[in-house]
Amino acid sequence: MENSTQISYFTLTLYFDIGLLKYLGFMFVLVLYILIVSSNILLIVVICMNRSLHEPMYLLLCSLFANELFGSLGLFPFLMVQILSDVHTLSASLCFLQIFFGHTYACAELTNLTMMSYDRYLAICCPLHYKTHMTSCKIAMFMALAWLYPILAVAVLISLSSTLTLCGNIIDKVYCDNYSIVKLACSDTTANNIYGLAFTVFVICVIVTLILFTYMKILKVCFSGSKQTRQKAISTCTPHLVSLLNFSCGCFFEILQSRFNMNNVHNMLRIFLSLYFLICQPLFNPLLYGLNLTKIRILCKSLFFHET
């Protein structure tokens, strides 16, 4: 067994020296962060301030946009500091904080998208019972569950990882993630593996199954229903499906990089794969929903192009 010591910091090795271009990189990341924060806050404000948007679908969208802000907060400030730094290290406490933000964001993104899938299923497949099923009380419960479960699940994950004895402090990424910490352990990781397996089984058996079930039912109604029903389903479900597909691709890239040896892959491609779901999802979701959902698009236009 390798010598183990108390790890006080971690070194992120995927950063490389780009000289004075680091200032250009910093500005690029800063602009991205400003765009993400401003676009998500704008849509949250538009939904909250307009009573016509106080419907289940839009309230669930608010929760989704809030999660984009939460995930971005866990990445961009750390990323900008590391870009300007000559020594790419992160203290153990900040590393675990970043893990909490990143993993909670990913889990909450999935639970929010699941709630939205269920909402679309009820609206399209059970329109007569929609208002009785999606009451304000149930919406509040769904939103609380979409956040409470990820926070508790990730808190347990971090509590297990933080007690491990580590034999190294090298993380081959641009940010901290739980699996990279577990790979550094030289103590027993049975509890981590069992919890990770249980979490994966729950996600596949419950969350993914629910999403697939809802869209199978929606497709069935689309093929058997009228032209008006199909148009309604397409207009409201397309942004959600694109968002779900984009998030799934991001998760696949992350799993691919975490589980396989990527040393032969160019650093820029590895960085892109690492940051995809933490940047593209928060950046494109406001644009996706803002442009495709008619009510939001009209209200945003009236806000910016108000005729006097």
Side-chain angles (χ1 to χ4, degrees), residues 92-157:
S93 57
L94 285 177
C95 187
F96 282 110
L97 179 63
Q98 190 172 51
I99 291 172
F100 175 77
F101 272 93
H103 285 66
T104 302
Y105 158 76
C107 190
E109 191 80 3
L110 191 56
T111 54
N112 275 291
L113 289 171
T114 305
M115 299 301 180
M116 292 169 67
S117 297
Y118 180 67
D119 173 72
R120 290 302 83 207
Y121 159 72
L122 288 177
I124 294 167
C125 300
C126 312
L128 298 178
H129 304 286
Y130 180 73
K131 289 188 177 180
T132 58
H133 284 295
M134 298 298 283
T135 62
S136 57
C137 183
K138 285 187 177 180
I139 288 297
M141 184 184 70
F142 284 156
M143 291 173 68
L145 183 62
W147 280 92
L148 187 60
Y149 167 70
I151 289 172
L152 292 177
V154 174
V156 174
L157 188 76

Side-chain angles (χ1 to χ4, degrees), residues 86-233:
D86 293 324
V87 181
H88 305 295
T89 60
L90 203 60
S91 69
S93 57
L94 285 177
C95 187
F96 282 110
L97 179 63
Q98 190 172 51
I99 291 172
F100 175 77
F101 272 93
H103 285 66
T104 302
Y105 158 76
C107 190
E109 191 80 3
L110 191 56
T111 54
N112 275 291
L113 289 171
T114 305
M115 299 301 180
M116 292 169 67
S117 297
Y118 180 67
D119 173 72
R120 290 302 83 207
Y121 159 72
L122 288 177
I124 294 167
C125 300
C126 312
L128 298 178
H129 304 286
Y130 180 73
K131 289 188 177 180
T132 58
H133 284 295
M134 298 298 283
T135 62
S136 57
C137 183
K138 285 187 177 180
I139 288 297
M141 184 184 70
F142 284 156
M143 291 173 68
L145 183 62
W147 280 92
L148 187 60
Y149 167 70
I151 289 172
L152 292 177
V154 174
V156 174
L157 188 76
I158 291 176
S159 67
L160 290 171
S161 299
S162 61
T163 58
L164 291 173
T165 302
L166 306 181
C167 293
N169 67 340
I170 304 298
I171 295 178
D172 198 20
K173 299 189 75 170
V174 293
Y175 59 86
C176 293
D177 73 303
N178 187 70
Y179 187 67
S180 297
I181 300 293
V182 174
K183 287 196 295 185
L184 294 172
C186 49
S187 58
D188 185 27
T189 59
T190 302
N192 302 74
N193 294 332
I194 292 174
Y195 182 78
L197 180 62
F199 178 78
T200 303
V201 169
F202 175 81
V203 168
I204 294 173
C205 292
V206 178
I207 296 180
V208 174
T209 301
L210 182 58
I211 292 174
L212 291 175
F213 170 79
T214 56
Y215 274 98
M216 284 174 62
K217 290 290 187 180
I218 290 171
L219 286 173
K220 184 179 179 181
V221 169
C222 287
F223 284 119
S224 60
S226 63
K227 182 179 179 181
Q228 185 180 2
T229 303
R230 284 195 298 271
Q231 287 177 339
K232 178 185 176 183

Side-chain angles (χ1 to χ4, degrees), residues 231-250:
Q231 287 177 339
K232 178 185 176 183
I234 291 170
S235 64
T236 60
C237 291
T238 298
H240 182 263
L241 281 173
V242 173
S243 178
L244 191 59
L245 181 62
N246 186 49
F247 180 69
S248 300
C249 288

